[in-house]
Amino acid sequence: MTRAAENEHAHAYDVVVLGAGPVGENVVDRVRAAGLTVAVVEGELVGGECSYWACMPSKALLRPAIVRAEARRTPGLRGHAYGPLDAHEVLAHRDSVVGDWKDDGQVEWVASTGAQLYRGHGRLDGPRRVTVQGPEGDRHVLTARHAVAVCTGSRAVLPDLPGLPAAGPWTSREATSSGRVPERLVVVGGGVVGAEMATAWQALGSRVTVLVRGEGLLPRMEPFAGEHVAAALTERGAEIRTGATVAAVVRDGHTGPVTVVLEGGDRVEGDEVLFATGRRPRTEDIGLETVGLEPGSWLSVDDSLRVEGHDWLYAVGDVNHRALLTHQGKYQARIAGAAIAARAAGNGSADGSASGAGNGSGDGSAGLRDSSTGSGDGSVNGPWGPYSATADHAAVPQVVFTDPEVASVGLTLAAAEAAGRRARAVDLDLTAVAGAGLYVQGYRGHARMVVDLDRETVIGATFVGPGIGELLHSATVAVTGEVPITRLWHAVPAYPTLSEAWLRLLEAYRDGAGTA
């Protein structure tokens, strides 16, 4: 027997999960709750991108910035809130939040479920078969009786630009894990990552320049959202340049100044440059070619998250490109886990209708259903049923943790119109709400409700303003529940809270305000 053969081990499980981030962990949790055996494979830290390089560290960096901004507008505190943030303390807290990039606690959780964790690089090796190359040279061959779930997530994309690789650019990972505050930070990209990291590092003391190729920040949201965030960043000293396309990056070594060269010849100099210009799936080296799929591709799935043409293969979270958000990936994992368990038990009703399936744009505009046909009643086979990730199409919530915060769910007015909906948008200046003036002095914010005029239900909502993220779930419930406007009148907001925005929006709708 060869040494390689001695180090190869075969194991069989009901389910094999590739990727132990939040999405993979939730698939594990659901199939274990159903009594299935499961193996989970992870080549990096158990807990994934969200725990160590995205959601958790970024919010740890942003929270002090937001609290200080609100304190400066709060009577009795403003005089005590004008000093700089203690960057050392903020970064130390960030390190604590991510467990100093150690995953002991997450590993303990996996073990507590009864799942088996395999460290190493996992690859598909034909139907229902996964090989794992371990760090010590050991090789495991895992066979799945029922399902393999690909939960490998996505990674930041760097554009193909002259000089960029040698310049040592930041991606979202470096931006959330840096141990020092750059004196000058150039941010390329105006999406969520760009806006949040510009907010965080500016508050920590960096002079920030944001370069946006398009017309403004947060382009997938209602236009006023990016306008409010840009105004706040500019007031605090950031420079935001729109219509700015990067042509090259110049740097001698990884420690000196970096120069970003724009089309037209303008140059912007910084000490670090962050490229927040999109993501791609982590599917380039997981053996997709062994099952007839293209390496590096997004994986198209039905609403039970099953890969089209493969009755045993699931793609959950970022890899399916439906909604690249941790909470949405965890939602998909709960649906996929339920569907896997039902099919393993021989439940034929878990058919995972492909209606509305495919690669969504992440803005909730893909695959919309008309639930007025009666198919949206939560039945097993229909939208909103236990095996259908319907919210990916109709009710994706998102909070951008800038100052001011931005929160949205469902469709923008433009997306509703593009989908053929007869819709109307109703807008509200949040200074009309008593709770806003009590929240902070000089409150500035905006709200929009998008109404389907044929059904008179809310199909989208966007809020901008301090503390507005906590309004989002009420909007999500209204959109997901397809609550009629007539019934929303009976959901009475407490006085004086920011939630009174709902009452003012309903009044404006009743009085005929808005854009149709």
Side-chain angles (χ1 to χ4, degrees), residues 286-509:
I286 61 168
L288 291 182
E289 68 279 2
T290 70
V291 294
L293 297 169
E294 182 181 352
S297 65
W298 303 101
L299 298 175
S300 187
V301 296
D302 67 19
D303 275 349
S304 70
L305 293 311
R306 186 165 55 177
V307 176
E308 294 172 356
H310 299 74
D311 64 1
W312 56 274
L313 183 62
Y314 293 74
V316 193
D318 282 11
V319 291
N320 61 43
H321 207 232
R322 288 162 68 109
L324 277 65
L325 297 161
T326 296
H327 50 269
Q328 211 67 20
K330 292 164 70 173
Y331 160 74
Q332 292 177 10
R334 295 190 291 271
I335 298 294
I340 290 168
R343 288 166 181 151
N347 184 348
S349 63
D351 65 356
S353 170
S355 175
N359 293 339
S361 63
D363 62 0
S365 61
L368 287 165
R369 295 173 177 77
D370 180 4
S371 55
S372 61
T373 62
S375 61
D377 59 1
S379 63
V380 168
N381 288 319
W384 307 115
Y387 314 122
S388 178
T390 310
D392 286 350
H393 310 300
V396 175
Q398 181 174 18
V399 178
V400 185
F401 292 87
T402 46
D403 176 40
E405 288 181 347
V406 180
S408 69
V409 65
L411 301 179
T412 63
L413 177 61
E417 292 173 341
R421 295 289 188 98
R422 199 170 66 89
R424 180 169 137 208
V426 179
D427 289 277
L428 175 70
D429 182 339
L430 285 174
T431 59
V433 177
L438 293 170
Y439 193 88
V440 291
Q441 288 191 326
Y443 192 104
R444 286 183 289 179
H446 192 98
R448 170 173 285 184
M449 176 176 72
V450 181
V451 177
D452 183 312
L453 294 173
D454 293 320
R455 302 188 60 236
E456 285 219 311
T457 57
V458 179
I459 56 174
T462 300
F463 304 94
V464 180
I468 216 69
E470 298 304 329
L471 276 182
L472 184 60
H473 196 61
S474 58
T476 303
V477 170
V479 173
T480 303
E482 299 173 338
V483 182
I485 292 289
T486 53
R487 180 58 62 87
L488 282 177
W489 275 107
H490 298 280
V492 181
Y495 181 86
T497 66
L498 290 172
S499 292
E500 274 201 300
W502 280 106
L503 176 58
R504 302 293 170 242
L505 287 167
L506 291 171
E507 289 172 338
Y509 179 77

Side-chain angles (χ1 to χ4, degrees), residues 35-364:
L36 301 179
T37 60
V38 59
V40 59
V41 182
E42 179 54 60
E44 290 191 293
L45 295 176
V46 176
E49 196 81 9
C50 173
S51 298
Y52 305 102
W53 299 287
C55 318
M56 298 305 291
S58 66
K59 303 323 170 266
L61 293 174
L62 285 159
R63 182 60 183 159
I66 293 170
V67 170
R68 183 181 66 172
E70 293 181 354
R72 287 176 172 178
R73 288 172 279 174
T74 302
L77 286 176
R78 60 167 58 95
H80 304 280
Y82 274 90
L85 290 176
D86 185 330
H88 176 77
E89 185 175 358
V90 173
L91 296 179
H93 174 64
R94 184 270 320 272
D95 294 352
S96 174
V97 165
V98 300
D100 293 309
W101 290 277
K102 296 182 178 67
D103 62 1
D104 298 357
Q106 301 271 21
V107 171
E108 289 177 9
W109 179 85
V110 172
S112 75
T113 69
Q116 181 63 50
L117 172 65
Y118 290 88
R119 296 272 197 181
H121 182 61
R123 299 183 87 256
L124 292 167
D125 188 25
R128 295 185 175 83
R129 179 180 162 101
V130 172
T131 61
V132 184
Q133 191 65 46
E136 304 300 325
D138 50 324
R139 186 173 185 269
H140 298 273
V141 179
L142 313 180
T143 302
R145 300 183 187 94
H146 298 294
V148 174
V150 176
C151 308
T152 49
S154 64
R155 59 163 50 91
V157 173
L158 287 173
D160 184 13
L161 291 172
L164 185 58
W170 280 8
T171 67
S172 53
R173 282 199 170 193
E174 290 77 19
T176 56
S177 62
S178 176
R180 66 179 186 85
V181 180
E183 183 177 342
R184 300 166 299 172
L185 175 65
V186 181
V187 178
V188 181
V192 174
V193 172
E196 287 191 344
M197 290 299 92
T199 299
W201 289 105
Q202 182 184 62
L204 286 167
S206 292
R207 297 203 309 273
V208 172
T209 303
V210 183
L211 305 176
V212 184
R213 185 167 57 181
E215 297 180 358
L217 302 182
L218 306 176
R220 293 189 177 184
M221 307 183 89
E222 298 284 9
F224 62 81
E227 291 167 6
H228 274 266
V229 174
L233 284 168
T234 301
E235 286 175 6
R236 296 184 178 96
E239 181 183 3
I240 299 175
R241 299 180 62 169
T242 59
T245 299
V246 177
V249 179
V250 180
R251 188 179 209 172
D252 290 331
H254 284 197
T255 57
V258 58
T259 300
V260 179
V261 183
L262 304 180
E263 288 186 359
D266 284 356
R267 292 171 173 254
V268 180
E269 189 170 277
D271 296 289
E272 297 291 350
V273 58
L274 162 63
F275 275 81
T277 49
R279 301 189 69 81
R280 68 183 180 204
R282 289 177 174 267
T283 59
E284 67 277 7
D285 189 24
I286 61 168
L288 291 182
E289 68 279 2
T290 70
V291 294
L293 297 169
E294 182 181 352
S297 65
W298 303 101
L299 298 175
S300 187
V301 296
D302 67 19
D303 275 349
S304 70
L305 293 311
R306 186 165 55 177
V307 176
E308 294 172 356
H310 299 74
D311 64 1
W312 56 274
L313 183 62
Y314 293 74
V316 193
D318 282 11
V319 291
N320 61 43
H321 207 232
R322 288 162 68 109
L324 277 65
L325 297 161
T326 296
H327 50 269
Q328 211 67 20
K330 292 164 70 173
Y331 160 74
Q332 292 177 10
R334 295 190 291 271
I335 298 294
I340 290 168
R343 288 166 181 151
N347 184 348
S349 63
D351 65 356
S353 170
S355 175
N359 293 339
S361 63
D363 62 0

